[in-house]
Amino acid sequence: MNIFHVTVAIQDINDNAPHFFGKSVELEICESASAGSKFPLDSARDADVGSNSLKMYTISSNPHFSLSTKESPDGSKYPELLLEKPLDREHQSSHHLILTAMDGGDPPLSSTTQIWIKVTDANDNAPVFSQDTYKVSLRENMPPGTLVLQVTATDQDERIHGEITYAFLNVPASTNLVFGLNPNTGAITTNGTLDFEEKSRYTLGVEARDGGVYTAHCNVQIEILDENDNAPEVTFMSFSNQVAEDSVLGTVIALIKIRDKDSGQNGLVSCRIQEELPFKLQPTSKNYYKLVIDKALNREQTPEYNVTITATDSGKPSLSTKTCVTVHITDINDNAPVFHQASYLVHVAENNPPGASIAQVSASDPDLGSNGLISYSIIASDLEPKALSSFVSVNQDSGVVYAQRAFDHEQLRSFQLTLQARDQGSPVLSANVSMRVLVGDLNDNAPRVLYPTLEPDGSALFDMVPRAAEPGYLVTKVVAVDADSGHNAWLSYHVLQASDPGLFSLGLRTGEVRTARALGDRDSARQRLLVAVRDGGQPPLSATATLHLIFADSLQEVLPEFSDDPLPPDPQSELQFYLVVALALISVLFLLAVILAIALRLRHSSSRKPWDCFQSEVVVPPNYSEGTLPYSYNLCAAATGKAEFNSLTCNDPLKSGQDLLFADSAGALFPLCNSNESTSHQQAPPNTDWRFSQAQRPGTSGSQNGDETGTWPNNQFDTEMLQAMILASASEAADGSSTLGGGAGTMGLSARYGPQFTLQHVPDYRQNVYIPGSNATLTNAAGKRDGKAPAGGNGNKKKSGKKEKK
């Protein structure tokens, strides 16, 4: 941008005729005025200039008067009337003249005014000014009423003819508003405020008139002196308030014009801006300046600049003007997006819900609008391209990364992503960032036992241990793995069950099975260990392994045993077998004791009738319920001195050969009642709690010393005899020759007690039952299954002085 100055000169044409301020002029001339007297007349004005301006004045012909044209100091022309020969009032008292003003145009233009001259009586002397022209300098901004100067005229006449009055002559009306004239003293004062910038020079015509008809004229030239009362003016000829940040140096932002109405030193102006701005002012001709770019712009650092232009003149004191403008820096896409982190590391626990957010990337772009609008995408990964979309996705607006599926630490422990942030500018700029996703482990895999395992046919392997193995001998090792990692895969080994708990030791972390002591003579050659393998997760998961260990020095010792019994016996079946045998023996012993008690009783009471026992009070046993004997005996017992036990009444008819004996606490036997006989005594009400008490059941809890009602043998001899009887019965049952043998499901009792006696009717005596010759203790599995505990014995029995063991 630049500026050139053009001067256009308007050529004048004669389109304005001269004109007078008044339509007529009235003069009074004394008849005594001598020839050659001059009388100034009102001048005409012509707006044209040059040759078209006012050139001359003429009057109509008259023998007494002539006209001459005079020029004032400001260059204007005014007419002056000249008396050619004296006047005679008595001959002619008035004269009429026509004054014509003519310009120099082609054709010339003119205007006229009327002059009326009145001839008065004689007045010997005319007023005379002390100076024809008065000059004065006056500073602007003087207050109203300030004395400019005083004009003085004198008249030699006396009295009325010597009294002089002053008045402005041919003064424009605007001048009368600025200056005032005292008509008596001739003092000129200011009426208003003078302003050099409006008009710097005034020319005033002053007329002095005496009391007669004589006048005198003078000119007053007033020059206005300039004061520094105007501050410089700053005008923007052109201005661009928005500038692109990539604009080249020297680009013009604004064209400024500086103007000061004062003159001289007061009108000399200098201009400047702040030094820290990336702009500068370059002066041109005639107080013009250009605001240009001096340094590189960066909108991201400074989006706008406030430029203050200060213009100062050279007056004393100097005046200045400050003008502030704001320059806005417009944005271009010169900044690529920047991620807030150099890389991202994300931890995600496995088994996460699909669709959950796992991370969020964030980038910023200092550009504006579409140049700073960022979108996100995944551009690369170490996963298969087809599988990438099924694993993760990213929201293009927010940068949130979502898991599209549940991760499995055991299948995929980590993967790498490359994400890109792109802006919407032109050209498009982008940035990349890497994200590593680590899939954390959860305890979702139980340990898996690698050894020992089952054969394909379902049979279990066994480990052979030398009989002479010393303590600490490595028997075998349980090998297990866990697909998890860390603490979730930290395995520990524990023994859940063991045939002989003190025979082996198990390494907590190694799973090594070692002998804790040497094999004894009473130790079984076949041992079984149930090992639990637990991991370190929360909650822990576990697996079990069964170890079958055989103490043998060679494989030949083991083969016959495994050929006869390829499958290990079921512990539950063995318990049921021993239970049936024990019940059978107890029943036999019970019947023998009853028969013996009845025989002894009959021997001591021979004087009584054989069937007096049926006259005693009897008690009807209750109907069968769980925990009582599953079959009914028709019993009766003779009354004793102590009615500690009520005999059983004949409840259900049995065969005549099936009568039994029942023994009391003293060892006496009660004879059985005949099913065909009836008693004369009324039966007692049934007792619904006729069951074996805890003390009456077989096993260790029922064999306490000092229990009066205990039915298990109390000495070593009886125990050995019972053990021999149980083993003999077991052998008979195994050979199929025992009388207890029966069909399947009856445990060998159906042949004796009828087909209605099946396994489900056998009372549950497995709670804490100790089988002589064996180290196993049977548990009341059936009782737990039924949810009921066995009830106590008969209500008429004496309770033991000791607390029953559980």
Side-chain angles (χ1 to χ4, degrees):
M1 184 181 294
N2 207 341
I3 186 168
F4 300 90
H5 298 276
V6 178
T7 302
V8 178
I10 307 300
Q11 296 181 352
D12 183 48
I13 62 174
N14 193 22
D15 57 345
N16 291 282
H19 67 280
F20 293 93
F21 290 104
K23 295 181 179 181
S24 63
V25 178
E26 294 181 357
L27 293 178
E28 290 183 357
I29 300 176
C30 182
E31 63 179 345
S32 61
S34 61
S37 297
K38 299 177 180 179
F39 302 95
L41 300 176
D42 292 338
S43 62
R45 294 288 185 269
D46 193 337
D48 295 327
V49 296
S51 61
N52 295 326
S53 64
L54 182 64
K55 288 298 183 182
M56 63 180 180
Y57 295 93
T58 61
I59 60 171
S60 58
S61 61
N62 187 286
H64 295 279
F65 298 98
S66 64
L67 188 67
S68 63
T69 302
K70 299 292 183 180
E71 187 173 351
S72 63
D74 60 353
S76 62
K77 295 177 175 61
Y78 63 92
E80 191 175 55
L81 187 64
L82 180 63
L83 182 61
E84 292 292 337
K85 64 179 183 178
L87 298 175
D88 186 1
R89 188 184 67 80
E90 288 76 18
H91 182 265
Q92 188 177 356
S93 62
S94 65
H95 298 271
H96 178 259
L97 301 174
I98 297 177
L99 178 63
T100 302
M102 186 177 297
D103 61 21
D106 184 18
L109 299 178
S110 62
S111 64
T112 60
T113 185
Q114 304 291 326
I115 300 177
W116 298 95
I117 300 175
K118 181 180 180 181
V119 181
T120 61
D121 195 10
N123 185 8
D124 297 332
N125 296 287
V128 177
F129 280 101
S130 61
Q131 299 179 26
D132 291 339
T133 302
Y134 291 88
K135 294 181 179 180
V136 65
S137 296
L138 186 66
R139 303 187 72 85
E140 67 174 332
N141 299 326
M142 297 299 290
T146 301
L147 178 63
V148 178
L149 58 84
Q150 186 173 3
V151 296
T152 304
T154 60
D155 193 336
Q156 295 180 358
D157 294 330
E158 295 180 354
R159 293 187 296 275
I160 189 173
H161 296 290
E163 294 179 0
I164 300 174
T165 59
Y166 302 92
F168 286 122
L169 181 64
N170 300 327
V171 175
S174 60
T175 304
N176 288 327
L177 297 176
V178 178
F179 300 99
L181 176 61
N182 191 320
N184 298 321
T185 63
I188 300 175
T189 59
T190 58
N191 287 335
T193 302
L194 301 177
D195 191 353
F196 173 85
E197 289 71 36
E198 291 183 2
K199 193 171 184 179
S200 61
R201 186 182 296 272
Y202 293 91
T203 300
L204 304 177
V206 179
E207 180 186 62
R209 182 183 293 273
D210 61 11
V213 294
Y214 291 105
T215 61
H217 298 85
C218 73
N219 292 320
V220 177
Q221 295 180 359
I222 302 174
E223 182 182 5
I224 306 301
L225 299 179
D226 183 42
E227 291 284 339
N228 191 23
D229 59 342
N230 291 280
E233 297 177 359
V234 179
T235 304
F236 284 86
M237 307 301 295
S238 177
F239 175 59
S240 298
N241 64 345
Q242 292 187 349
V243 180
E245 60 178 328
D246 60 343
S247 299
V248 297
L249 302 182
T251 301
V252 178
I253 300 175
L255 181 63
I256 304 168
K257 178 182 179 181
I258 307 299
R259 177 172 176 261
D260 196 326
K261 294 180 180 179
D262 297 325
S263 61
Q265 291 294 326
N266 297 330
L268 295 178
V269 181
S270 61
C271 193
R272 70 180 187 278
I273 60 173
Q274 306 98 300
E275 295 181 356
E276 65 273 9
L277 297 179
F279 310 107
K280 69 177 181 179
L281 284 174
Q282 289 182 349
T284 63
S285 60
K286 295 182 180 180
N287 291 335
Y288 279 87
Y289 291 86
K290 290 189 292 186
L291 181 64
V292 298
I293 299 175
D294 188 45
K295 299 178 182 178
L297 303 177
N298 191 342
R299 189 207 64 81
E300 287 70 37
Q301 293 182 358
T302 308
E304 64 181 21
Y305 294 92
N306 292 321
V307 182
T308 301
I309 302 171
T310 304
T312 306
D313 60 24
S314 300
K316 292 186 181 300
S318 63
L319 300 178
S320 62
T321 300
K322 292 184 178 181
T323 302
C324 295
V325 293
T326 301
V327 179
H328 299 276
I329 310 302
T330 58
D331 182 57
I332 63 171
N333 192 26
D334 58 343
N335 292 279
V338 177
F339 282 95
H340 296 168
Q341 295 181 213
S343 62
Y344 290 85
L345 182 63
V346 180
H347 295 271
V348 182
E350 65 175 334
N351 303 328
N352 56 289
S357 63
I358 61 175
Q360 181 176 15
V361 296
S362 179
S364 59
D365 193 329
D367 294 327
L368 290 179
S370 59
N371 296 332
L373 187 61
I374 299 176
S375 61
Y376 302 91
S377 61
I378 300 176
I379 61 172
S381 173
D382 56 359
L383 300 173
E384 291 293 333
K386 295 182 179 180
L388 176 60
S389 60
S390 65
F391 274 85
V392 290
S393 66
V394 62
N395 187 294
Q396 65 176 1
D397 297 324
S398 63
V400 177
V401 180
Y402 296 95
Q404 298 297 105
R405 62 189 298 177
F407 299 144
D408 189 353
H409 174 79
E410 289 71 39
Q411 295 182 1
L412 181 66
R413 299 199 173 189
S414 67
F415 57 91
Q416 191 85 14
L417 300 176
T418 301
L419 294 99
Q420 184 180 77
R422 294 165 52 93
D423 59 24
Q424 306 299 321
S426 180
V428 176
L429 301 179
S430 62
N432 298 337
V433 70
S434 63
M435 174 183 288
R436 185 167 185 82
V437 180
L438 301 179
V439 180
D441 182 50
L442 294 179
N443 193 25
D444 58 344
N445 290 277
R448 185 166 62 92
V449 178
L450 301 181
Y451 181 83
T453 58
L454 297 177
E455 291 292 328
D457 58 355
S459 60
L461 298 177
F462 67 95
D463 290 286
M464 190 169 60
V465 185
R467 294 182 178 274
E470 297 293 330
Y473 175 80
L474 178 61
V475 177
T476 185
K477 182 176 181 179
V478 179
V479 181
V481 295
D482 195 321
D484 296 323
S485 60
H487 281 281
N488 296 330
W490 194 14
L491 301 181
S492 61
Y493 300 85
H494 309 271
V495 176
L496 293 183
Q497 292 181 5
S499 300
D500 191 345
L503 187 57
F504 299 98
S505 64
L506 178 64
L508 179 64
R509 298 300 176 187
T510 62
E512 295 179 349
V513 179
R514 297 179 180 270
T515 57
R517 59 178 176 83
L519 180 68
D521 295 338
R522 296 185 179 183
D523 294 328
S524 174
R526 299 180 62 181
Q527 299 290 332
R528 177 176 173 271
L529 290 179
L530 181 61
V531 178
V533 183
R534 297 191 185 96
D535 57 24
Q538 291 296 330
L541 301 179
S542 62
T544 58
T546 303
L547 298 177
H548 296 277
L549 307 178
I550 297 177
F551 284 88
D553 293 329
S554 63
L555 185 61
Q556 288 74 14
E557 300 180 14
V558 182
L559 291 178
E561 182 178 0
F562 278 90
S563 61
D564 295 339
D565 188 9
L567 293 177
D570 187 4
Q572 187 71 15
S573 300
E574 293 181 0
L575 292 176
Q576 293 178 356
F577 172 76
Y578 287 122
L579 179 61
V580 171
V581 173
L583 289 176
L585 292 178
I586 292 172
S587 301
V588 171
L589 294 177
F590 175 73
L591 293 176
L592 292 177
V594 172
I595 294 173
L596 180 59
I598 294 175
L600 294 176
R601 190 66 176 174
L602 292 175
R603 182 184 300 175
H604 292 290
S605 57
S606 58
S607 60
R608 301 181 62 179
K609 293 181 180 181
W611 309 112
D612 286 348
C613 62
F614 295 104
Q615 298 177 2
S616 62
E617 186 178 358
V618 295
V619 177
V620 179
N623 294 330
Y624 167 73
S625 61
E626 185 182 355
T628 62
L629 290 175
Y631 36 83
S632 299
Y633 292 96
N634 296 323
L635 304 177
C636 65
T640 61
K642 297 180 181 179
E644 296 178 354
F645 191 90
N646 293 329
S647 62
L648 296 175
T649 185
C650 299
N651 185 30
D652 195 21
L654 291 174
K655 301 294 182 178
S656 59
Q658 294 179 354
D659 294 337
L660 304 178
L661 297 177
F662 199 95
D664 61 357
S665 59
L669 292 178
F670 295 87
L672 288 172
C673 298
N674 193 324
S675 58
N676 296 325
E677 297 291 336
S678 61
T679 178
S680 61
H681 297 280
Q682 189 179 358
Q683 293 181 349
N687 186 355
T688 60
D689 198 20
W690 190 81
R691 304 175 183 178
F692 284 104
S693 65
Q694 182 70 19
Q696 291 174 316
R697 295 179 181 178
T700 56
S701 61
S703 59
Q704 303 297 328
N705 295 332
D707 191 349
E708 297 178 358
T709 60
T711 61
W712 197 258
N714 293 329
N715 53 66
Q716 182 178 2
F717 177 76
D718 293 339
T719 302
E720 293 176 355
M721 291 182 61
L722 181 59
Q723 179 179 356
M725 294 172 65
I726 291 175
L727 293 178
S729 300
S731 299
E732 292 177 2
D735 296 337
S737 60
S738 173
T739 57
L740 295 176
T746 62
M747 296 184 65
L749 300 178
S750 60
R752 179 178 180 88
Y753 301 106
Q756 76 278 5
F757 183 78
T758 59
L759 183 60
Q760 61 181 350
H761 298 112
V762 177
D764 194 351
Y765 287 98
R766 290 176 292 175
Q767 180 175 355
N768 297 331
V769 174
Y770 172 78
I771 303 299
S774 173
N775 58 358
T777 300
L778 302 182
T779 59
N780 189 4
K784 294 180 181 179
R785 181 172 59 250
D786 297 336
K788 299 178 181 179
N794 191 291
N796 294 328
K797 285 182 57 179
K798 289 186 179 180
K799 295 184 179 180
S800 173
K802 296 184 180 180
K803 186 177 181 180
E804 296 179 354
K805 291 186 179 180
K806 293 184 180 180

